[in-house]
Every structure is written in C-alpha cells, then in structure tokens.
Amino acid sequence: MPSEYNVLLIGGRGSIGSGLRTYLPRLDQRYRIVSVDLPGAQDKASAPDAQKDFIDLDISESPDALRALIPGHDLVVYLARCGDLESMNQMTDCVFEAVLAQDTPPMIIGSSSVHAVDGLYDFHQQGFYSTLADRQFDAITEWPQRIPATVAAHAINDYGREKSHVEEWVKRVAERGHSGIATRWGGVNAANDALASERGYFSVWCHQEDAARMVHRCFQAHLKKTLPSGAHYFVISDNTYNIFDIETPRRDVGYDPIHNAETFYP
C-alpha cells in the first residue's frame, strides 16, 4: 500500500467535502487531500485540523487543467455541482473523461444522492413514510423492507436525473476495468445537526464522520482489490429509523457508521 493516500476532492469546501477533509485524516493519517473549487467558494469546515490545501479552478471552463491535476492522486471524489441539468451533466462528463484519460486511472467516487430514488418514497404522501416523518412510530403496524442499495435510480426531477447520470458513469468506469463507486449521500450538513427542518430528515441524516467512514472503507477495499466496482451505496448514519439499506455496504466494504439521529431527540 502507498505510504500516503493522495486524494483530489472536486468541490471539497462544501458540507460533504469539508467533512472529508476533517475526518479522513482522523481515520488514517496517511490521507493528503487537495480540494479543487470555484474561486471564492465558501469553506464550510470549522475544525482547526481540517486539511486546507486548495486550488481555485472552474473545471467546466478549464477541463485540460483538471486533467493535468489528476496524475499522482490515488482517489478522486467528485462532489461539485453547477447550474441546470445540462450544465451539470456536462461537468460530470468532463470529470469522468479526465479520470479515464489517465494512463492509470485513480479510483473515483461520484456523488449521487438518496434523491436519485425519490420515486420510491414520499414523506408527504399519506402512508408509511408520512407517518414515519411525523414520528408517530406507535401508529406503524407494519415496517417495510428498507430501500435496497442495489435498486436502480428512480429519479422524479432534474436533481435526481443528474445523480442518475453520475451513477451511469460509475458503471462505465467499472466496465472498463477501473474502480468507481457512486455514493448516494443522505442529509449531510456542516453542523452535523439531525434536527434540520426538512421533513423526515432524521431518517436520512448522515454525520460527516460517517460519510468519511464510507469513503475510507471503499478506498481500503479498492487497495485490497475487493471493491465491487460500479456499485452505488446509500450513505446514511446508523439511524434507528433509517429507511435505506446500509447492510449491503456494511457487508461489501465494511461500512461502519457510528452516529444515530435519535441521540438528538429526548
């Protein structure tokens, strides 16, 4: 294994990236992280030990510069977002093409979201998910199976469609014999607060540390050559009322979340 793990975050100043810059080095001191962001992007990291090696670059405007940054990195984590669906998909194409253009492509983790499967649950429509979102647990007589990690995307809006596009690219990476995973992030925020006003948030919440634990476990599986490349995993904390399957990544790569949204409730 390499003596250092060189990581390139694309969009690393946001809620997820700031957590990776904080918690990955705490999990393993070998992580050396560079973050590529739009000039002037706000850094949401508050921990004094968050790594702060930044490059200001609009990758959509400078794809060749992005391609030149990738050599020497063991892992690329693609987190950035921009504009409408067409612009977002073009940026996704740019990132994955840059990775695959390398003589030895690094592992890539592409950001998807639980919203890639919004067609499979609805916290606003009457039924189980609405009752759960109301925290009326005693009124639930039958608990359905958690939404499987292996289920295909069921996008109902452009945000879900841009995430589905990322997942398709990850499959292409795997088909070409390289390592890629799509992470269907849950609700990650820089304050690690499970009490956000979004309906049903406590069931989809993910602490930044658990997000980092997923990335770390996937990367370690890649190094051991046991990674099921092309897979997509829900990245959720170990919430009591989680609606998504996290047993699959627990089994596949050893995902070991340690936080639970219920600790925020009396």
Side-chain angles (χ1 to χ4, degrees):
M1 292 188 181
S3 59
E4 291 186 349
Y5 301 149
N6 293 303
V7 181
L8 182 66
L9 301 184
I10 301 175
R13 295 185 188 181
S15 295
I16 298 171
S18 61
L20 298 182
R21 289 166 34 225
T22 301
Y23 289 102
L24 280 176
R26 294 182 188 178
L27 290 169
D28 193 315
Q29 295 181 354
R30 286 174 286 186
Y31 282 107
R32 299 291 181 269
I33 302 171
V34 174
S35 179
V36 178
D37 300 86
L38 285 172
Q42 178 189 0
D43 182 13
K44 294 188 177 182
S46 58
D49 61 338
Q51 293 193 11
K52 298 181 183 296
D53 190 352
F54 299 125
I55 296 174
D56 289 340
L57 179 69
D58 185 337
I59 63 172
S60 295
E61 295 295 327
S62 305
D64 290 341
L66 170 64
R67 187 171 299 193
L69 286 175
I70 295 174
H73 287 96
D74 307 298
L75 172 65
V76 173
V77 184
Y78 171 42
L79 302 165
R81 293 195 66 230
C82 72
D84 57 14
L85 178 61
E86 181 179 4
S87 298
M88 184 64 205
N89 286 351
Q90 288 175 350
M91 183 169 69
T92 296
D93 295 345
C94 170
V95 169
F96 279 88
E97 288 167 357
V99 168
L100 290 173
Q102 305 301 314
D103 291 338
T104 303
M107 178 183 174
I108 182 167
I109 292 178
S111 283
S112 184
S113 166
V114 296
H115 295 297
V117 297
D118 272 355
L120 299 179
Y121 70 101
D122 190 339
F123 288 129
H124 298 275
Q125 185 174 349
Q126 184 176 1
F128 165 76
Y129 293 110
S130 178
T131 305
L132 179 72
D134 289 335
R135 296 185 63 83
Q136 296 178 0
F137 307 127
D138 291 343
I140 299 173
T141 57
E142 184 175 351
W143 293 76
Q145 178 187 16
R146 289 176 172 178
I147 297 172
T150 53
V151 72
H154 284 65
I156 61 173
N157 53 35
D158 281 354
Y159 182 67
R161 293 182 189 101
E162 75 180 48
K163 299 308 182 186
S164 178
H165 188 64
V166 171
E167 293 184 8
E168 289 301 318
W169 262 111
V170 166
K171 292 175 186 175
R172 288 178 218 167
V173 168
E175 288 167 357
R176 297 185 191 186
H178 308 299
S179 291
I181 291 289
T183 44
R184 289 173 167 173
W185 305 112
V188 181
N189 63 78
N192 289 310
D193 182 4
L195 300 177
S197 59
E198 182 180 334
R199 186 165 172 77
Y201 193 77
F202 61 89
S203 69
V204 305
W205 174 73
C206 183
H207 193 286
Q208 286 179 319
E209 183 174 8
D210 289 335
R213 293 175 85 87
M214 175 66 87
V215 170
H216 177 61
R217 290 300 185 184
C218 287
F219 182 61
Q220 291 299 308
H222 159 70
L223 293 177
K224 296 173 184 176
K225 303 188 184 303
T226 59
L227 182 75
S229 185
H232 36 66
Y233 295 133
F234 293 114
V235 190
I236 309 293
S237 285
D238 196 16
N239 305 322
T240 301
Y241 301 108
N242 173 21
I243 64 171
F244 298 106
D245 159 33
I246 59 173
E247 291 306 310
T248 295
R250 196 190 301 272
R251 181 183 64 248
D252 285 0
V253 297
Y255 178 47
D256 51 348
I258 60 174
H259 296 275
N260 187 332
E262 290 307 298
T263 61
F264 287 78
Y265 290 85

